[in-house]
Amino acid sequence: MSGNADQIEFWNGRGGQKWADQQDVTDRMLGKIGEAALTFAAAKPGEKVIDIGCGTGTTTMALADSVGASGQVTGVDVSKPMLGTARERAAKAGKSVAFVEADASVFPFSTEIDLVFSRFGVMFFDQPAKAFENIHRALKPTGRLAFVCWRAPQQNPWAFEPLVAAKPFLPPSDPPDPLAPGPFAFADENRIKLILTEAGFRNIRVTPLDTTTNIGGSLDAAAKQMLEIGPLARAAAEADDAAKPKIVEAVRAVLGKYQTPEGITPPAGCWLVAANA
């Protein structure tokens, strides 16, 4: 069994199905971040690209547009539900892309890849240095890596503030291990550099990206989303029925200050990471 067994189980269970069902919601939430990451990666016509943690295929299809008919893009994910949605969307859009259900930390990729890209798909490896070593082997000597990951929770009010507000109504839990696989596992810039260096990458650049998310068109929609996907959803999974209305009200109260004509748009703090093979 892969060392990422817990993550594979989650993304193939109810958690992954919820993300697949809410593809349009997550695309809106991550829209600005995804655009910035794709611009940063700068896929070129004719390139061979791997999209790690491709989810429902949004970035995979965008990469296919960049590489054109002479290029090749393969989306890789462990989540069968999300890949099912990705394949349906690509077929409907007439996009020439391939999708592979696999754990990128151990999958025997074909070599001669020009670019490995990821939008929030590389923070869940159980042994990140070994995973990136495997990814490194897929790249040409001239190949490159580009991904976006979250900075610290405190720099991401969309996740941090609802979780703090809801804490009085959540079941007791131990403090999370900041280095454990999860959305904020790469919050530390120095840790990213150490992992990539150990995996064989060079010329590592870590650049802050300060932007916004869009977590719903209204406070009700935003509060519902926080309980469906993301850190609060995991923490509240075992909350009883009496607690859930209190959680929703607490989340609504803390997100009110981020209301704009475009929706609920709290700040988001990310890292744009690039490295050469």
Side-chain angles (χ1 to χ4, degrees):
M1 177 67 76
S2 163
N4 295 315
D6 290 345
Q7 293 295 328
I8 292 170
E9 181 180 4
F10 174 82
W11 292 108
N12 280 286
R14 289 181 59 195
Q17 188 61 55
K18 283 184 178 181
W19 282 83
D21 293 343
Q22 299 203 37
Q23 168 262 312
D24 57 335
V25 174
T26 54
D27 278 353
R28 181 192 63 233
M29 176 183 173
L30 302 177
K32 287 186 177 181
I33 300 169
E35 289 173 12
L38 288 162
T39 299
F40 177 76
K44 300 174 181 65
E47 288 192 321
K48 292 183 178 180
V49 182
I50 295 172
D51 184 8
I52 291 182
C54 66
T56 56
T58 298
T59 51
T60 318
M61 291 188 286
L63 288 162
D65 290 339
S66 295
V67 303
S70 61
Q72 178 183 314
V73 181
T74 302
V76 179
D77 207 291
V78 298
S79 174
K80 190 184 294 290
M82 295 178 80
L83 287 173
T85 299
R87 291 187 176 105
E88 289 174 9
R89 296 177 69 208
K92 187 175 180 179
K95 302 290 185 182
S96 180
V97 293
F99 291 102
V100 176
E101 181 184 343
D103 177 354
S105 69
V106 295
F107 184 72
F109 292 107
S110 62
T111 55
E112 298 300 300
I113 299 300
D114 295 290
L115 168 66
V116 172
F117 173 86
S118 183
R119 184 194 71 177
F120 301 124
V122 295
M123 305 94 67
F124 301 94
F125 296 131
D126 185 55
Q127 298 183 68
K130 288 187 177 180
F132 276 102
E133 186 177 344
N134 186 55
I135 291 163
H136 184 270
R137 281 194 287 269
L139 287 165
K140 291 179 178 178
T142 56
R144 65 198 190 280
L145 171 73
F147 66 83
V148 62
C149 60
W150 300 112
R151 299 206 309 266
Q154 293 85 346
Q155 297 174 39
N156 285 282
W158 64 269
F160 184 69
E161 293 185 6
L163 198 57
V164 171
K167 190 171 183 179
F169 314 109
L170 295 173
S173 62
D174 294 328
D177 176 358
L179 302 185
F184 300 104
F186 280 12
D188 183 345
E189 173 185 4
N190 291 324
R191 184 179 190 230
I192 296 171
K193 291 177 178 177
L194 285 170
I195 288 169
L196 295 183
T197 299
E198 187 177 339
F201 286 93
R202 60 186 178 81
N203 192 24
I204 300 159
R205 291 93 70 201
V206 182
T207 306
L209 170 67
D210 293 298
T211 181
T212 59
T213 58
N214 188 324
I215 56 175
S218 67
L219 283 172
D220 286 336
K224 180 183 177 184
Q225 183 178 339
M226 292 295 96
L227 280 170
E228 289 289 331
I229 55 176
L232 177 57
R234 287 204 189 193
E238 304 301 323
D240 60 41
D241 291 340
K244 286 184 179 176
K246 297 174 183 176
I247 294 171
V248 168
E249 194 54 42
V251 171
R252 276 177 50 91
V254 79
L255 292 178
K257 60 181 174 291
Y258 301 118
Q259 199 158 15
T260 71
E262 289 74 42
I264 313 303
T265 58
C270 307
W271 294 120
L272 293 170
V273 181
N276 295 98

